[in-house]
Amino acid sequence: ASATATAPPSGPSSSSYESYAPRSNAQRSRLSRIAALTAGPTAVAAEAAKKSGGPSDAEKDLLLRAMSPPPPPAPSSSSSSFSAPASDANDNGSMLLDATLAQTYASTDHLSLLLKHAASLRFALRASINIADDVGRRHADLLRQSGELSAAAERLQAEADVRTRHAEEIGMPLRHYDAVDRIGVLVGVLFKDGGRTIVRGLARLKVDSDGFEPTLDEIDDALAYFENESGGREALDELHSRRRRRDRDEDEDGVGGGGLQSGSLEYYRRALALHDAALFLIREAVADRIGQTARDVASALDISRKPIAANKLEASLVYTRFHGISVRSNALISIVKDRLDRNEAYGELLDLCRNSYCGGRETLLRNTVRAHMDKLRDRHGLVGMTRLASVFLIRLCTVETSLYLDFFGNKKKPEGKSGEESEDGADESKGEAGNEEDKVAVEAPSSGGSPRVKLSRKTSSSASGGTGGAPQNVDLASDPAFRDVPFQTLLANLCASLHRTVRRGLVAVHDLDTLCQVVSVLREERGLADSGPTTSAAARAIGAVIVDAQERLIFCANAQLHKEVVRFKAGPEDLDYPGKLLRGEAAEVPPLSAEGTEGGGAVTSQAPPSAGSTGSGSSYKDDDAIQAQLRVYESWFPPMRSVLRVLSKIFRVVEPRVFEDIALQSVGSVTRSLKDGSAYIQKKSGTVHADLFLVKHLLILREQLSPFDIQLRSVERQLDFSEAGKAVTRFLANRNRRLFSLSTENALVALLREGVSIHETSVDSKRDLDDALRSACNDFIEHTSGALCGPALLFVENCKGASASADAGLMTQPFMAAHHVLAVMGETTERLPDELAEVSTQMGLYLENPATQSILLKPVVRKITRALEDARRFVGEAVDGECGWDAEARSQVLNMMQSIEVMVKGAVSRHSSRQ
């Protein structure tokens, strides 16, 4: 009864406990996690799965089904009725219990099988772990044993290396001893009498063979060993010193103490002999061969008596024979250059080869180059010769550099060639084939100018290759071997022929135009020579010639200026002003602008073109303008004309400092000469002509010097020996003089300090020129004002003097009488038109620029205007009835002053309107 009371209602209509005690969401979640971790889905989940109609996970898994509680019986159709019969409930409960027990027994059996299988797997896993641990222990033992074996192997290898090196060190001396004994026969050296006697013979080893370089390496190694490690050098030096101290028949055994091995000194001697013999073979194959080739070529061509023509030089034996031996010589020289750091003898041998080469080349080319220079000078003159000779030397330097690099450049020995190159047949034919070289074509000038030069560049021979088969695309400047001192000395000696020839011609040249052309041409050619490092020798030679030409040009310019300016004695025809200007106007000279007279550029002495010469831009009108300009130029004062002509010529061809010094001295001299000429003209032609002459030439001089952009300023220092006599007297009178004292009290120092002094003088020719021009303009203004209104100006000066004097009043002076003032103003008014016309005519004759005339007349007008204002003031102070003054007289005087002022200002206006 209690069971039925506590059991939940069965049947499909029974309801769950959740109908009476619903669970919260947190409880459901906790129960779900417990079910998932322990047994599986709860009864609610199973019921939900059953209602869904699909197979659930609980039905698939037996263990989960066994551990899950039985599902609650389905509620009855009547949820509120508990009146079901008790027997039905008991039957259902017993059936459910039996099914649960049967299911539990099946699940228990299955779990037992699973536990047995898990136990067997556990035992198998434990056995596997034990096997893995044993394998790991064995592997660790194997690694430890392998490390011990590796350390032992490395130790054995190090011991083997040490023993190998020790064996090599033990056998090294023997190797060098064997090499010395073995190589002697190869290089033609025999040792007799225990090595005391050395006999030279024919060498079995050729320098061209493949075994020569290894043999030379063995000799170098043996020599280095016996010299340094075995103490051979010290022993030999000690032997020589003992021989100098003792007799010659003293025993030589045991000389090199200090642990010297037996036979080291002897084998050091033998190694030296072998080394000398090997180097002798190289010297014989290179240096002697070069010298013999040079002698053979000189003998075959008879160069000493018959120089080679310049256009056939590169195709001659002078180049072809040397190109023939260049490959073999370069291979041997490369062997020597690779061993320069081993022994000093290699450096001496290389220097010998270079000197032999340079000496032979200079012997072959010296006479030819000199003869070509003389030929160019005789045929084309000094200017044309400088251009053509410079081109020839630039080409010669390029070809010689290419040939020198064929001998001494850094080139590898070509493969497959070990014997000597052919010298005569093949090379000469190749030279003939390369005869189409860079040639200098000279075109004769058409009308007295310097010849023009054309360089025909042939593809068969480039500037870097010459005619001997040098690579056409080789950059000569990339190989530094051409900078060797002997070779540069050779090029300098060859290029010195230009200096020698041009210098002899410069001594006889006095024409400034020719010297300027020489300097200009040489500067152009030096710029071309400076474009490449291989022609630097030609550039240096041309630079030396430029210095000589500039010195000659400066000397001739100074001599000409000294003759035509400093020592110039002007004659009547030179100072015939205004006669020279009138003759120029009579020739109907067309008017020139200010730039053509006072403000033009540098003046040149180029002669006008002849009547027969024609050109694309020449015409009769142009010739007439040139002739007119030259006539104006000829009207200048000769010293100034000479100064401007010389300065314009040398401006571009001498150094700026030299030009400024010459201009400084010449401008000062010509300024003094112009002043002297003005004084002469003043005596001959009058003051106005003298003033205009000086103003004209000073303006022209200043304007012509402005394009040069020079300061014309310097400091002159002179030694003054005026106190030298007194200083010598004091020096001789001083008995306590200290001649060897290193102080300021030294008597000699005191003598020089007291007896010689330096005077410095600042010279500014531009300032002197401006001062002279300013003074000349002021003189012209003063003299012109006096010429135009002299009586009126004198009246004003008298009035000013009387006003300033305290002794007598102005009105008491006789010149203040009315009739006197009327006479003065009348005289001025009468002469003013003629004087204005005369001044205008003379100014137009001397100064062709109306602007310049107007500038000079404006101060004259201002001075006259101020004088007239002062005169009006003085006349206004006159009292009527005194000295004949009345209103009518005052009105006449003022009208005359007004007319004078109008005429003067009108003249200036007319000049201004001409601009």
Side-chain angles (χ1 to χ4, degrees):
S2 60
T4 59
T6 59
S10 61
S13 63
S14 63
S15 60
S16 173
Y17 287 106
E18 297 212 7
S19 300
Y20 306 101
R23 297 184 181 93
S24 64
N25 293 331
Q27 290 175 344
R28 288 193 190 96
S29 176
R30 186 163 49 253
L31 289 175
S32 298
R33 288 197 300 271
I34 292 173
L37 293 173
T38 57
T42 60
V44 177
E47 181 65 20
K50 183 176 180 180
K51 287 181 179 181
S52 63
S56 63
D57 294 338
E59 293 177 351
K60 294 180 181 179
D61 193 353
L62 179 62
L63 180 60
L64 295 179
R65 286 198 308 271
M67 296 181 67
S68 298
S76 61
S77 61
S78 178
S79 60
S80 60
S81 179
F82 295 96
S83 62
S87 59
D88 294 337
N90 292 333
D91 293 338
N92 292 332
S94 60
M95 290 177 63
L96 180 61
L97 182 62
D98 293 338
T100 301
L101 289 176
Q103 186 178 2
T104 302
Y105 292 150
S107 300
T108 302
D109 295 338
H110 184 66
L111 288 174
S112 299
L113 293 175
L114 292 176
L115 290 175
K116 290 180 182 179
H117 183 63
S120 63
L121 290 177
R122 176 172 172 271
F123 293 146
L125 180 61
R126 181 173 296 175
S128 300
I129 291 173
N130 293 334
I131 293 173
D133 293 339
D134 183 56
V135 172
R137 286 191 298 272
R138 291 184 181 183
H139 181 66
D141 294 339
L142 180 61
L143 292 178
R144 179 176 53 78
Q145 293 175 3
S146 299
E148 294 177 356
L149 290 176
S150 298
E154 292 177 357
R155 184 178 67 256
L156 293 176
Q157 183 65 35
E159 293 177 357
D161 294 339
V162 171
R163 285 168 174 73
T164 300
R165 289 195 298 269
H166 185 61
E168 291 178 354
E169 292 175 357
I170 294 175
M172 185 179 297
L174 299 179
R175 178 169 60 86
H176 296 312
Y177 283 103
D178 294 340
V180 170
D181 293 336
R182 174 175 50 83
I183 295 174
V185 181
L186 298 178
V187 296
V189 177
L190 297 178
F191 302 101
K192 296 183 178 180
D193 297 335
R196 293 181 177 85
T197 304
I198 300 176
V199 180
R200 290 286 183 89
L202 295 176
R204 296 182 181 179
L205 187 64
K206 301 297 182 181
V207 293
D208 300 316
S209 62
D210 295 336
F212 179 76
E213 192 169 353
T215 302
L216 192 59
D217 291 336
E218 292 182 1
I219 295 175
D220 291 335
D221 295 339
L223 182 61
Y225 173 78
F226 291 123
E227 180 180 1
N228 300 323
E229 299 184 11
S230 186
R233 177 185 287 273
E234 292 79 1
L236 188 60
D237 295 340
E238 185 178 355
L239 175 62
H240 291 164
S241 61
R242 293 182 63 179
R243 280 184 175 179
R244 288 191 297 267
R245 294 193 306 264
R246 300 180 180 180
D247 297 332
R248 293 189 176 183
D249 44 328
E250 182 179 357
D251 188 14
E252 298 178 0
D253 297 336
V255 170
L260 182 64
Q261 298 181 7
S262 176
S264 296
L265 176 59
E266 179 61 31
Y267 273 87
Y268 177 61
R269 285 176 170 179
R270 295 187 180 186
L272 284 176
L274 295 178
H275 193 261
D276 292 341
L279 294 186
F280 175 78
L281 295 178
I282 299 178
R283 184 184 68 184
E284 187 179 21
V286 179
D288 295 347
R289 183 67 176 278
I290 291 174
Q292 184 62 38
T293 302
R295 289 189 293 271
D296 293 344
V297 172
S299 177
L301 299 178
D302 196 11
I303 294 179
S304 60
R305 293 190 302 172
K306 299 178 181 179
I308 305 174
N311 57 350
K312 299 179 180 180
L313 180 61
E314 295 184 36
S316 64
L317 294 178
V318 173
Y319 285 95
T320 57
R321 291 289 296 273
F322 274 81
H323 278 296
I325 63 174
S326 61
V327 177
R328 179 172 182 257
S329 300
N330 181 262
L332 298 177
I333 291 173
S334 298
I335 295 175
V336 175
K337 293 172 69 175
D338 293 340
R339 291 166 173 77
L340 291 176
D341 56 342
R342 295 190 179 184
N343 199 299
E344 296 178 357
Y346 288 108
E348 296 174 358
L349 177 59
L350 182 60
D351 292 339
L352 177 62
C353 295
R354 288 172 177 168
N355 294 332
S356 299
Y357 174 86
C358 295
R361 297 301 300 173
E362 184 176 359
T363 302
L364 294 175
L365 296 173
R366 182 175 56 247
N367 292 336
T368 299
V369 174
R370 289 185 177 181
H372 184 59
M373 297 293 173
D374 295 337
K375 181 180 178 181
L376 291 177
R377 179 189 170 191
D378 297 338
R379 180 177 298 179
H380 303 286
L382 187 61
V383 179
M385 174 262 176
T386 53
R387 185 178 298 278
L388 297 176
S390 300
V391 174
F392 172 76
L393 289 181
I394 292 173
R395 173 62 184 171
L396 181 65
C397 290
T398 303
V399 176
E400 282 297 314
T401 301
S402 176
L403 182 60
Y404 183 80
L405 293 180
D406 288 344
F407 278 85
F408 298 93
N410 298 325
K411 298 178 182 179
K412 295 182 179 180
K413 184 177 179 180
E415 299 179 359
K417 292 185 180 181
S418 59
E420 296 184 0
E421 300 290 337
S422 61
E423 300 178 4
D424 298 328
D427 291 315
E428 291 182 4
S429 62
K430 189 195 316 184
E432 294 296 333
N435 194 17
E436 294 183 357
E437 61 205 23
D438 288 354
K439 297 181 180 179
V440 180
V442 182
E443 293 186 359
S446 59
S447 59
S450 60
R452 292 177 294 176
V453 181
K454 286 187 177 181
L455 294 178
S456 58
R457 305 293 183 186
K458 301 296 183 180
T459 57
S460 61
S461 174
S462 67
S464 61
T467 59
Q472 300 293 328
N473 56 354
V474 174
D475 187 6
L476 301 181
S478 62
D479 195 339
F482 72 91
R483 293 187 175 90
D484 295 339
V485 176
F487 178 65
Q488 292 298 323
T489 304
L490 165 66
L491 295 181
N493 293 336
L494 294 178
C495 295
S497 300
L498 175 65
H499 186 271
R500 163 182 166 272
T501 306
V502 175
R503 188 176 180 84
R504 288 189 302 175
L506 290 175
V507 174
V509 176
H510 299 278
D511 184 25
L512 295 182
D513 293 330
T514 302
L515 293 174
C516 292
Q517 290 180 10
V518 170
V519 175
S520 300
V521 169
L522 289 175
R523 280 184 171 180
E524 294 177 5
E525 298 303 328
R526 183 177 62 179
L528 180 62
D530 282 333
S531 60
T534 58
T535 56
S536 58
R540 290 192 297 268
I542 296 173
V545 179
I546 291 175
V547 173
D548 288 345
Q550 286 178 337
E551 290 179 357
R552 181 64 181 175
L553 176 61
I554 294 169
F555 172 77
C556 293
N558 284 326
Q560 186 171 348
L561 290 174
H562 186 73
K563 177 182 178 182
E564 299 180 0
V565 179
V566 179
R567 299 179 59 184
F568 176 76
K569 300 297 182 181
E573 65 280 0
D574 298 323
L575 295 173
D576 186 15
Y577 289 91
K580 296 173 68 174
L581 302 177
L582 293 174
R583 288 192 294 271
E585 281 196 351
E588 295 182 357
V589 179
L592 299 176
S593 62
E595 290 77 8
T597 57
E598 292 93 8
V603 180
T604 59
S605 61
Q606 180 181 0
S610 60
S613 61
T614 59
S616 59
S618 63
S619 64
Y620 177 77
K621 184 177 180 180
D622 297 336
D623 294 343
D624 187 52
I626 293 174
Q627 293 295 336
Q629 178 67 37
L630 290 178
R631 283 193 293 269
V632 173
Y633 173 70
E634 290 296 331
S635 68
W636 294 353
F637 191 50
M640 189 187 73
R641 187 170 62 237
S642 300
V643 167
L644 295 178
R645 182 179 66 251
V646 172
L647 293 181
S648 63
K649 289 180 180 179
I650 68 174
F651 175 61
R652 299 291 183 183
V653 292
V654 297
E655 299 299 327
R657 292 183 179 180
V658 177
F659 176 79
E660 187 168 355
D661 184 67
I662 295 175
L664 177 70
Q665 298 178 7
S666 59
V667 169
S669 299
V670 76
T671 304
R672 291 189 295 270
S673 180
L674 287 172
K675 291 180 179 180
D676 296 339
S678 176
Y680 178 85
I681 294 174
Q682 184 177 3
K683 297 178 183 179
K684 177 185 176 183
S685 302
T687 304
V688 176
H689 292 283
D691 294 338
L692 289 175
F693 165 81
L694 190 57
V695 170
K696 170 186 175 68
H697 287 87
L698 291 178
L699 281 174
I700 293 174
L701 182 61
R702 188 180 67 174
E703 295 299 327
Q704 294 287 341
L705 290 176
S706 60
F708 297 132
D709 193 17
I710 52 180
Q711 298 297 326
L712 297 178
R713 185 183 301 117
S714 68
V715 177
E716 294 183 354
R717 296 177 177 84
Q718 297 177 351
L719 296 178
D720 185 8
F721 293 94
S722 60
E723 299 294 330
K726 297 179 181 179
V728 172
T729 303
R730 288 192 295 269
F731 174 77
L732 296 176
N734 186 8
R735 298 182 179 275
N736 192 21
R737 50 181 178 266
R738 301 175 182 178
L739 298 179
F740 302 102
S741 175
L742 299 178
S743 65
T744 57
E745 298 179 358
N746 188 293
L748 294 176
V749 176
L751 174 62
L752 294 175
R753 186 176 62 249
E754 297 173 0
V756 182
S757 60
I758 300 176
H759 287 252
E760 294 186 355
T761 305
S762 178
V763 179
D764 192 343
S765 294
K766 181 176 287 187
R767 182 190 59 194
D768 296 341
L769 178 61
D770 293 338
D771 293 342
L773 179 59
R774 188 180 304 107
S775 176
C777 292
N778 292 333
D779 293 341
F780 172 77
I781 294 170
E782 185 70 25
H783 297 155
T784 304
S785 301
L788 294 177
C789 300
L793 296 177
L794 180 60
F795 167 74
V796 174
E797 292 295 331
N798 292 333
C799 292
K800 289 181 178 179
S803 299
S805 176
D807 297 337
L810 176 62
M811 301 308 298
T812 60
Q813 300 297 326
F815 55 79
M816 277 299 297
H819 67 277
H820 185 272
V821 175
L822 286 172
V824 169
M825 295 303 168
E827 182 183 359
T828 303
T829 305
E830 290 177 359
R831 59 182 291 185
L832 183 58
D834 297 336
E835 293 295 336
L836 281 175
E838 179 66 18
V839 170
S840 299
T841 302
Q842 299 303 329
M843 291 185 67
L845 184 62
Y846 283 91
L847 305 173
E848 299 180 2
N849 191 353
T852 306
Q853 300 176 22
S854 177
I855 291 173
L856 284 176
L857 281 177
K858 285 180 180 179
V860 176
V861 174
R862 286 196 298 267
K863 183 174 182 179
I864 295 176
T865 302
R866 286 195 299 266
L868 293 176
E869 291 177 356
D870 294 337
R872 290 191 187 96
R873 180 169 55 82
F874 291 130
V875 171
E877 295 177 359
V879 180
D880 294 342
E882 295 182 2
C883 299
W885 286 103
D886 55 13
E888 183 179 359
R890 184 179 290 105
S891 176
Q892 291 178 2
V893 171
L894 294 178
N895 290 334
M896 290 180 183
M897 291 181 183
Q898 183 66 27
S899 63
I900 292 172
E901 185 174 358
V902 169
M903 283 188 290
V904 173
K905 290 183 177 180
V908 176
S909 300
R910 287 192 297 272
H911 281 285
S912 300
S913 62
R914 296 177 188 174
Q915 299 181 13

